[in-house]
Amino acid sequence: MNKIRIGLLDVVALTVDLPEYNLYRGQVGTVVGLLAGGAAFEVEFSDRSGRTYESVGLCPEQISLKSDI
């Protein structure tokens, strides 16, 4: 199986609900940081005006490249 690498500034979508952050499966964000040597990602979620409303560290299992969904 070919594993796609997620990188800085990639557009990703949540694959899980995160109600504690008011984020839900399918919401789209941008990878703004690589954590733990690329084992986790800081993902920023913004409104239509470009204002960030949440930035959260996520594991690869919690996100998918936008082109994959």
Side-chain angles (χ1 to χ4, degrees):
M1 178 193 255
N2 214 2
K3 182 138 181 156
I4 296 173
R5 290 182 49 100
I6 296 172
L8 197 59
L9 302 180
D10 279 345
V11 176
V12 297
L14 283 174
T15 59
V16 296
D17 291 335
L18 299 172
E20 64 273 24
Y21 296 106
N22 237 4
L23 297 171
Y24 298 92
R25 185 178 191 274
Q27 280 186 269
V28 175
T30 302
V31 176
V32 295
L34 304 177
L35 308 173
F41 308 94
E42 184 73 20
V43 179
E44 187 175 273
F45 297 87
S46 303
D47 64 18
R48 291 178 189 241
S49 299
R51 290 183 293 245
T52 300
Y53 59 84
E54 193 63 71
S55 184
V56 63
L58 299 171
C59 298
E61 300 79 29
Q62 295 175 297
I63 56 176
S64 175
L65 281 174
K66 178 73 168 105
S67 61
D68 290 349
I69 57 172

